[in-house]
Amino acid sequence: VGAWTRADAERADAADPLAGCRARFELDPSLIYLDGNSLGPLPTGVAARLQQLVSEEWGRGLVRSWNQAGWVDLAERVGAKLARLVGAAESEVVVADSTSVNLYKALGAALAAAGPGDVLTDDGNFPTDLYIAEAAARQFGGRRVRRVPRAELLGAIRPGTALVTTTHVDYRSGHLLDLAAVTEAAHRVGALAVWDLCHSVGAVPIDLSAAGADLAVGCTYKYLNGGPGSPAFVYVAGRHRDLRSPVSGWFGHEDTFAFGPEYRPAAGAARFQAGTPPILAVAALEVAMDVFADIDMSQVRAKSAALGELLISLAEERCREHGIGLASPRDAASRGSHVSLTHPDAYEIVQALAAAGVIVDSRPPDLIRFGLGPLYTRFVDVWDAIQVLGEVLESGRHVASAHSTRHVVP
Ligand SMILES: *Cc1c(COP(=O)(O)O)cnc(C)c1O
């Protein structure tokens, strides 16, 4: 796509089969929002649903709403809606807790059942995933965590590996691992595979059933647009009936409201719930999941690849002499839905872009991440964002002191 003009980008938008999906979000027309891989935009309908839930279901219905408004199995119903996006049966997915907590439960369940051996992960895995893997490995069998470079993960799976865990799409580079190949290699040595789908769910077609996956977790506030801190999900393959969540709370009980003295796990992924679900947050997520009800994920993938290719070619054409490099795979087949460029002043550049209405984010030490949420990102957004990036670099205004004030969230 070298040398696209803005008119070319406009033509691509006019031909985009997903163009109409942009209207399903409340987007500020004065912003170019390329950070939906960190926090997805607000779906239309969430605000009204929350207003109704608060005023009517909570305000008037009070405790009766657990039954009358269906709060009691809302998390399972939303999990069932999410299941289609990860290639799972409805009973294999439940919405609960955060990704960090769900990863702990998934790793604990798998390691309590696994044979002797190490936990294998990659050294660029997301920090919380590394922290939790270390804790779970220690607590469930006194195991060692072996960290290898992501490119060597597949080859590092060997006899003596009890469990493999990593992230499907790398949060820094956007590198997409072959989920089926890694899972198969794990199974060949008798190991289980636990996947983190945070940066792929909602952007990359996923088929956990076809891959024979064991367990997976993921968050819902990135490409699923569930809102800040929206609850995460857990997938447990139906065949793993014997795996038990180490947090055996009452919402994972087969009959929560029998108030029995002994824990008996519910069937399906529902047993990986622990306590009372955050109903306001789950209700918002349900509206966000309905956005995907009629979406063809192969169209999402094709658009994501095209947006990424446009961004890379424009950045190289417009910004190469300003010290911009590419941290993401050039080949769209090995890339998720974000593209990371490199620059020593990444943090300051991201602040200068924000001041010009282009929202992206930085990750240490030198990454500028462009999240390309395919449901609402237009080709002209990519074109305009790179135009602004070029202007920032040319003017050098990112080095002005106002743009190096450090915020807590980069
Ligand atoms: C965003 C993200 C998380 C976030 O975990 P929380 O518990 O929801 O804060 C975890 N892992 C990966 C790979 C992520 O991208």
Side-chain angles (χ1 to χ4, degrees), residues 67-81:
N67 293 315
Q68 288 170 9
W71 291 352
V72 71
D73 54 5
L74 181 63
E76 287 171 63
R77 287 203 312 276
V78 177
K81 289 183 177 183

Side-chain angles (χ1 to χ4, degrees), residues 37 98-101 125-126 128-129 167 169 171 196 198-199 219 221-222 230 232:
N37 58 327
S98 63
T99 299
S100 302
V101 172
N125 197 3
F126 194 84
T128 203
D129 297 53
T167 303
V169 168
Y171 79 106
D196 184 328
C198 278
H199 276 281
C219 67
Y221 49 79
K222 293 170 181 165
S230 60

Side-chain angles (χ1 to χ4, degrees), residues 325-345:
L326 176 65
S328 294
R330 190 173 295 276
D331 172 18
S334 333
R335 201 173 62 227
S337 202
H338 70 272
V339 171
S340 291
L341 303 178
T342 61
H343 192 285
D345 300 328

